[in-house]
Amino acid sequence: MAAHKLLVLPGDGIGPEVMAEVTRLIDWIDAQGIAKFETETGLVGGASYDADKLPITDATMAKANAADAIIFGAIGGPKWDGVPYEHRPEAGLLRLRKDLGLFANLRPAVCYPALADSSSLKREVVEGLDIMIVRELTGGVYFGEPKTITDLGNGQKRAVDTQVYDTYEIERIARVAFDLARKRQNKVTSMEKRNVMKSGVLWNEVVTQVHGREYKDVTLEHQLADSGGMNLVKWPKQFDVIVTDNLFGDMLSDIAAMLTGSLGMLPSASLGEVDAKTRKRKAMYEPVHGSAPDIAGKGMANPLAMIASFGMALRYSLDLGDLADKVDQAIAAVLAKGLRTADIKSDGATVVSTSGMGEALLKELQALHA
């Protein structure tokens, strides 16, 4: 049995706490002989800055390049507000994305039946929700140049950010979306602002061309991003796969996150290009939630998004889809039994700690393998 090489980057804040529940799972899977893992652990973000005055070191980047999958926790916090801009904790995450070419961000939004009443929307609107937002991650306004603040004198300044997309960047993210749709409900909704942005005009044109050349069997629709945001709140179950750019993807995925009741429930994957020789791709998996420094060390953090992110690694990087299905089933089972961490607590539920939730999930997984 070939070993899967994992790089574990717990990071800052609650990162190490929620990651501990993933490493508990990894150890159990390895001990049972279900799969074999070779796991290394590294520093990133504030923890790396404290140790090496860098948000990520070249040595850790080398480990990331060699890994089959990177399992990433969370970074940042007020402790590092005063560090130089280029050394801020977030720079470690951005380097990982850039250097590994992680251009496709997959953010599923699934509303588990037991949490349907935790959403701010009515149960009938969100119950059974299962959508996937595919966000372009390495282009657009976050990376475009020029990016400047200019002093104009007389107390006036001018800030400039540049939205830039090339055809190939849109083509490759569109293909990821269409390929995912073929394994789901076979529908893609592309969102941009072609009515006011030239990049939106090109985005619409290229997605349409890719669809016509390669994916005519998939249903394609287009929506303006602002209208799409409205429809995500109005009737989210009309969507299957949503593909959009970096800026709109950032906003729309957070809207989708709250449909499910809590950011603490949402995983994500960031994927690179498929290597022509190995047929593998660089990939990193992380929960959508942040480092939550206010509850770090208190055993209150919800580990389910971190565990679900590991489940996505099993599915998309390690060819262990059956095991990923069982992880998803175990998450649904602990929720159905009324177990909750503080962020998703409700009347009649049993509030458990971070480790308590991880232990309960492992018991469910063990039962599924009995």
Side-chain angles (χ1 to χ4, degrees):
M1 183 186 297
H4 302 290
K5 297 180 66 174
L6 302 179
L7 176 62
V8 173
L9 299 175
D12 309 319
I14 63 172
E17 296 170 70
V18 296
M19 189 68 78
E21 303 313 312
V22 169
T23 56
R24 187 207 296 249
L25 279 185
I26 291 171
D27 291 344
W28 178 80
I29 293 168
D30 204 62
Q32 295 297 308
I34 300 168
K36 184 172 179 58
F37 299 105
E38 292 180 1
T39 304
E40 289 190 280
T41 301
L43 298 176
V44 70
S48 179
Y49 182 82
D50 288 347
D52 299 297
K53 300 306 177 192
L54 291 169
I56 192 167
T57 65
D58 290 343
T60 301
M61 283 302 308
K63 293 178 181 178
N65 268 296
D68 293 320
I70 301 160
I71 315 298
F72 187 98
I75 54 170
K79 177 181 178 182
W80 301 282
D81 283 349
V83 306
Y85 182 79
E86 65 274 12
H87 292 155
R88 68 200 188 283
E90 294 77 10
L93 177 59
L94 292 177
R95 184 180 175 189
L96 281 163
R97 290 174 178 172
K98 181 179 179 181
D99 288 10
L100 299 179
L102 305 179
F103 70 92
N105 186 218
L106 278 52
R107 289 195 175 191
V110 176
C111 185
Y112 293 94
L115 293 183
D117 291 325
S118 297
S119 173
S120 56
L121 300 185
K122 296 177 181 178
R123 171 179 279 270
E124 59 265 28
V125 176
V126 297
E127 189 171 22
L129 178 69
D130 182 357
I131 62 178
M132 177 74 77
I133 294 182
V134 179
R135 168 190 173 191
E136 199 290 321
L137 199 59
T138 57
V141 74
Y142 291 171
F143 291 91
E145 296 291 344
K147 183 185 291 289
T148 62
I149 297 178
T150 303
D151 192 334
L152 303 177
N154 298 319
Q156 298 294 305
K157 294 183 179 180
R158 176 178 294 144
V160 175
D161 290 289
T162 305
Q163 170 86 340
V164 177
Y165 272 109
D166 292 339
T167 300
Y168 81 94
E169 293 176 294
I170 305 170
E171 287 178 334
R172 65 184 183 179
I173 196 69
R175 290 190 182 100
V176 171
F178 286 125
D179 286 338
L180 280 170
R182 280 177 168 169
K183 299 175 182 178
R184 294 170 52 90
Q185 300 303 313
N186 220 41
K187 179 183 176 181
V188 170
T189 304
S190 176
M191 295 188 184
E192 27 64 17
K193 284 288 288 180
R194 63 189 180 279
N195 57 334
V196 292
M197 298 173 67
K198 289 296 186 181
S199 60
V201 173
L202 182 64
W203 185 282
N204 180 277
E205 174 186 308
V206 173
V207 171
T208 301
Q209 290 171 349
V210 171
H211 175 256
R213 288 195 309 263
E214 304 171 37
Y215 298 94
K216 288 183 179 179
D217 57 301
V218 181
T219 298
L220 171 64
E221 66 177 21
H222 298 276
Q223 289 192 20
L224 297 177
D226 51 345
S227 176
M230 177 191 71
N231 285 319
L232 267 173
V233 176
K234 182 180 179 180
W235 190 249
K237 286 186 280 187
Q238 68 184 276
F239 299 111
D240 178 27
V241 175
I242 296 171
V243 62
T244 189
D245 73 10
N246 206 342
L247 175 62
F248 296 135
D250 196 356
M251 294 186 286
L252 292 169
S253 58
D254 277 6
I255 292 173
M258 291 316 299
L259 301 178
T260 69
S262 172
L263 278 172
M265 290 299 303
L266 295 185
S268 76
S270 298
L271 309 178
E273 294 272 20
V274 175
D275 185 276
K277 293 182 178 179
T278 66
R279 305 308 301 166
K280 294 183 177 181
R281 66 199 322 161
K282 303 295 185 187
M284 182 166 65
Y285 300 88
E286 60 179 305
V288 172
H289 65 67
S291 63
D294 56 318
I295 62 169
K298 298 180 180 179
M300 297 170 59
N302 186 346
L304 293 180
M306 186 76 257
I307 292 169
S309 297
F310 175 63
M312 293 184 77
L314 296 174
R315 188 179 306 282
Y316 295 115
S317 284
L318 308 180
D319 197 26
L320 294 168
D322 289 344
L323 183 56
D325 289 341
K326 288 184 171 63
V327 171
D328 290 342
Q329 292 167 27
I331 292 173
V334 295
L335 294 172
K337 289 184 176 179
L339 299 183
R340 303 285 188 271
T341 45
D343 61 308
I344 53 173
K345 66 182 178 182
S346 58
D347 293 340
T350 301
V351 177
V352 295
S353 66
T354 305
S355 61
M357 183 64 86
E359 182 178 352
L361 186 136
L362 181 55
K363 286 181 180 178
E364 296 292 340
L365 194 59
Q366 289 169 338
L368 289 169
H369 277 278

